[in-house]
């Protein structure tokens, strides 16, 4: 406390800052530059999505570590549904400000889906209509990174889905490896 002015000094403030939000315009600019960089290196749109996915995986691994450190979360999820709920509710809210919808795949027991009608990474990227690129591949990489870091080996991919009332949404399809499904059956 500064005795002359009666207000706290920089030395009185805590070292850890409050969790602030990044500027939306700064994020949009940075992400559009990432997409532009990947676009210059890619030969086709499939390769662009693969590059975005590869960039998202290490981010997802660090997101899980950061959340566990911030929240003093020492408990590790061992079941599929609690882990996916953690991603859809907690992680998604931290990253995008709202929760995702968690859905069970109808065709296979190892498939789950995370649906987001307003995915942030698709909002500011404009691509020509003849290029069917989904920048949600970056988010699919983040989801895959979180799952792999939590010892849930899986493959995640992003898909654009047409909504019945018009518009589109992004669905992250998660396919767990057989080892995860075998572990899930043993824990039942």
């Amino acid at each position: 406390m500064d005795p002359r002015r009666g207000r706290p000094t920089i030395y009185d403030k805590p070292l850890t800052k409050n969790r602030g939000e990044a500027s939306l315009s700064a994020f949009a600019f940075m992400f559009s530059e990432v997409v532009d960089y990947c676009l210059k290196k890619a030969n086709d749109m499939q390769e662009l999505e693969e590059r975005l996915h590869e960039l998202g995986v290490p981010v997802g691994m660090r997101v899980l570590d950061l959340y566990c450190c911030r929240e003093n979360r020492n408990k590790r999820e061992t079941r599929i549904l609690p882990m996916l709920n953690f991603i859809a509710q907690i992680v998604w809210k931290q990253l995008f400000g709202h929760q995702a919808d968690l859905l069970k795949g109808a065709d296979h027991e190892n498939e789950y889906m995370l649906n987001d009608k307003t995915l942030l990474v698709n909002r500011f990227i404009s691509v020509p209509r003849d290029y069917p690129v989904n920048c949600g591949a970056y988010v699919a990489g983040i989801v895959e990174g979180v799952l792999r870091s939590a010892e849930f080996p899986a493959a995640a991919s992003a898909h654009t889905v047409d909504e019945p009332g018009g518009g589109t949404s992004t669905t992250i399809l998660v396919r767990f490896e057989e080892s995860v499904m075998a572990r899930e059956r043993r824990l039942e």
Side-chain angles (χ1 to χ4, degrees):
M1 179 80 77
D2 186 1
R4 294 175 288 168
R5 294 191 180 135
R7 59 180 193 216
T9 64
I10 193 168
Y11 301 111
D12 297 324
K13 294 180 182 176
L15 291 176
T16 57
K17 290 190 170 198
N18 291 341
R19 284 181 242 164
E21 293 183 6
S23 166
L24 187 58
S25 59
F27 172 77
F29 175 72
M30 290 295 292
F31 189 70
S32 68
E33 289 299 313
V34 167
V35 171
D36 187 46
Y37 173 77
C38 291
L39 186 60
K40 289 177 183 173
K41 300 279 186 185
N43 295 325
D44 59 355
M45 292 303 117
Q46 180 68 26
E47 189 177 343
L48 172 65
E49 288 184 6
E50 288 171 6
R51 286 180 181 270
L52 288 172
H53 185 273
E54 289 171 7
L55 287 174
V57 172
V59 172
M61 291 180 173
R62 285 171 180 80
V63 162
L64 182 64
D65 290 341
L66 178 66
Y67 182 79
C68 290
C69 288
R70 275 188 181 167
E71 303 298 324
N72 283 335
R73 188 179 171 98
N74 297 326
K75 179 185 159 209
R76 179 169 109 43
E77 298 292 350
T78 57
R79 305 290 304 265
I80 290 176
L81 277 178
M83 186 64 200
L84 288 173
N85 279 326
F86 169 74
I87 292 172
Q89 295 171 1
I90 308 294
V91 173
W92 215 270
K93 189 164 183 132
Q94 287 289 107
L95 293 176
F96 305 114
H98 62 275
Q99 296 180 358
D101 299 326
L102 177 62
L103 308 167
K104 173 77 171 98
D107 297 338
H108 304 283
E109 71 168 343
N110 66 336
E111 289 184 355
Y112 292 86
M113 294 174 271
L114 295 165
N115 190 338
D116 193 341
K117 293 178 180 24
T118 59
L119 192 61
L120 185 65
V121 296
N122 286 335
R123 188 183 308 172
F124 300 106
I125 304 300
S126 58
V127 293
R129 292 191 186 271
D130 54 336
Y131 292 124
V133 64
N134 186 352
C135 292
Y138 180 73
V139 178
I142 292 175
V143 170
E144 185 174 319
V146 168
L147 289 169
R148 288 190 181 277
S149 183
E151 301 297 324
F152 286 88
S157 58
H159 305 277
T160 303
V161 178
D162 292 325
E163 291 293 318
T168 60
S169 66
T170 301
T171 298
I172 308 295
L173 178 63
V174 179
R175 287 190 181 109
F176 289 100
E177 291 183 2
E178 185 55 40
S179 62
V180 176
M181 300 312 294
R183 179 177 67 199
E184 185 76 12
R185 285 189 287 273
R186 277 194 317 267
L187 291 174
E188 287 179 347

